[in-house]
Amino acid sequence: MSSKTLLDYIPGYLIIPPDAFGISPSALGKFITKPWEWYQTEVLGEKVFDYSTSTVLGTIVHFLAEGYTKDIDRDTRRDNITRYLFNFLEEDDETEFLKLTYEERLIYLVENYTSDKLDMNYIIEQFPVMGMKLVEHLQRTGKPSQSERTIEAKICTGYHVCGTVDAVHNG
């Protein structure tokens, strides 16, 4: 990916001491059920995360919830989502892309995404629907006091649990 956006993942290990080992709560299930895979990915770093339709869609929906929670304006949300998706195209220069309207950007993304890795059309069809459902839920339950916050806690010397909290309600 080339262009930085508000949707870019910030790994938890960035907030722990450089000589410490970070343990992600989301990887805990794999530690328990498949410790050999956990060791390969988390300790040896052998498998690099690769994007999928589901993970890209999930990232956008999380961002829409964060946008609602943190009052990120509509134009900023739209700009960041389309630039985030543009990064999956096999193009380096987004100059002309940025001149397009939001609707034109969405059409451009569908028409110019050539890999079979992601279903760009599905992502663009679903993120507004899924985002709206999540925002409706937040409107019913109340805005969280915090969202998409990177946190860490020391377990013992040299080891920290670290990751991103989706939402915090009532502390």
Side-chain angles (χ1 to χ4, degrees), residues 1-6 8 83-84 86-87 92 94 98:
M1 292 195 173
S2 54
S3 177
K4 292 289 182 194
T5 73
L6 294 175
D8 295 339
R83 286 189 302 111
Y84 172 74
F86 180 87
N87 288 329
D92 294 329
E94 65 181 355
L98 295 176

Side-chain angles (χ1 to χ4, degrees), residues 69-117:
T69 301
K70 295 180 179 177
D71 298 317
I72 299 172
D73 70 82
R74 179 177 171 219
D75 290 339
T76 301
R77 290 192 316 264
R78 287 177 160 196
D79 178 63
N80 277 270
I81 289 168
T82 56
R83 286 189 302 111
Y84 172 74
L85 291 172
F86 180 87
N87 288 329
F88 293 99
L89 300 182
E90 294 179 14
E91 299 179 29
D92 294 329
D93 186 10
E94 65 181 355
T95 307
E96 294 302 314
F97 179 75
L98 295 176
K99 294 177 184 176
L100 301 173
T101 66
Y102 172 72
E103 290 77 13
E104 290 169 338
R105 286 184 186 187
L106 295 177
I107 293 166
Y108 183 92
L109 289 162
V110 170
E111 290 178 350
N112 291 280
Y113 184 75
T114 57
S115 173
D116 59 0
K117 184 91 178 118

Side-chain angles (χ1 to χ4, degrees), residues 21 36-49:
F21 180 77
W36 61 93
E37 281 186 21
W38 180 88
Y39 184 80
Q40 281 182 307
T41 59
E42 304 301 313
V43 177
L44 300 178
E46 290 181 354
K47 292 183 180 179
V48 177
F49 175 74

Side-chain angles (χ1 to χ4, degrees), residues 139-153:
Q139 288 170 337
R140 282 192 311 275
T141 61
K143 280 187 182 182
S145 57
Q146 299 175 44
S147 71
E148 299 301 329
R149 179 174 168 222
T150 306
I151 60 168
E152 64 84 26

